[in-house]
Amino acid sequence: MDEDVAFILEAAGEGMESSIAHLEKELVKIRAGKANAVMLNGVRVEYYGAQTPINQVAAIVAEDSRTLRVTPFDKSALSAIERGIVAANLGLNPQNDGIIIRISIPQLSGERRQQLVKQARAEGETAKISIRSVRRDHNDQLKKLKEDGVSEDQIKRGEEEIQKMTAKYSDRIDEVIKKKEEEITTI
């Protein structure tokens, strides 16, 4: 196989792999009823005039399966952290005791579980769109190789290989989403 074709196939694989990694990172943010410090990753806190990620101003620990404890590094940031958690609109109610913030993770209702399943499926569809975009971009690169004297057979084989990769990564997305749905719907 031509070096250029092999390089494009390798780049396509890396692009599709990064789509899966991004999906997994996004799915961690969808809570499944258990306390997890990652749930607060998207929270930003107004700290000395700058929007700062919460994990840079406080330590976040899961005390048990239903409670998160947020301990600020600077006690003066306590109320700003509390406001940041509320503003993040995660459906969480922080309890400030003057030293730390405790967040009780409420039991998920059936309706809320269905919303989370829809959200997970939407993330999966976004990942599939990303993979199809990688496929399109790399197929276009293969077609441009024709101008550089690469044979049509090699280009065709490269396109078939990219299609196989697309199908493989789409199946992986389906597996990841199915696993997340089971996690969400399990009481």
Side-chain angles (χ1 to χ4, degrees):
M1 185 177 284
D2 186 76
E3 269 185 45
D4 294 331
V5 174
F7 178 76
I8 290 172
L9 291 175
E10 185 179 324
E14 289 172 3
M16 291 180 187
E17 193 63 47
S18 71
S19 294
I20 298 280
H22 179 74
L23 170 67
E24 290 171 342
K25 191 172 109 182
E26 291 300 311
L27 288 180
V28 168
K29 295 177 186 174
I30 299 175
R31 68 185 181 95
K34 294 180 186 150
N36 187 342
V38 178
M39 294 168 62
L40 299 180
N41 272 357
V43 175
R44 302 195 66 76
V45 176
E46 178 77 28
Y47 188 65
Y48 290 108
Q51 288 294 322
T52 309
I54 192 169
N55 59 1
Q56 291 182 12
V57 296
I60 305 165
V61 179
E63 286 184 338
D64 56 44
S65 66
R66 294 265 171 241
T67 311
L68 285 176
R69 183 181 68 226
V70 181
T71 309
F73 301 136
D74 176 5
K75 300 291 184 219
S76 66
L78 200 62
S79 61
I81 292 170
E82 186 177 16
R83 284 192 304 273
I85 293 168
V86 171
N89 200 20
L90 298 172
L92 302 175
N93 189 15
Q95 303 296 315
N96 180 348
D97 70 1
I99 300 170
I100 62 170
I101 295 174
R102 278 201 172 78
I103 303 169
S104 293
I105 308 300
Q107 187 72 19
L108 294 175
S109 67
E111 184 179 308
R112 180 67 179 142
R113 289 179 193 278
Q114 290 308 312
Q115 288 174 339
L116 294 176
V117 166
K118 285 181 185 178
Q119 187 178 349
R121 287 180 181 160
E123 290 293 342
E125 192 55 41
T126 301
K128 285 183 178 183
I129 289 168
S130 174
I131 284 176
R132 289 191 295 265
S133 176
V134 169
R135 175 187 63 190
R136 183 190 64 241
D137 293 345
H138 289 82
N139 278 342
D140 289 348
Q141 289 179 21
L142 283 172
K143 289 174 184 162
K144 288 178 184 174
L145 290 178
K146 192 175 187 179
E147 299 166 4
D148 296 339
V150 176
S151 73
E152 284 188 39
D153 287 344
Q154 286 184 332
I155 292 172
K156 197 70 164 165
R157 270 186 248 132
E159 288 175 344
E160 289 170 1
E161 193 62 35
I162 287 177
Q163 183 56 43
K164 287 178 189 173
M165 289 166 53
T166 303
K168 180 180 99 175
Y169 282 102
S170 288
D171 290 345
R172 273 187 59 195
I173 288 172
D174 291 338
E175 291 170 16
V176 169
I177 295 300
K178 184 178 182 200
K179 184 178 169 191
K180 185 66 177 185
E181 285 178 18
E182 288 172 3
E183 185 182 316
I184 292 169
T185 56
T186 302
I187 298 176

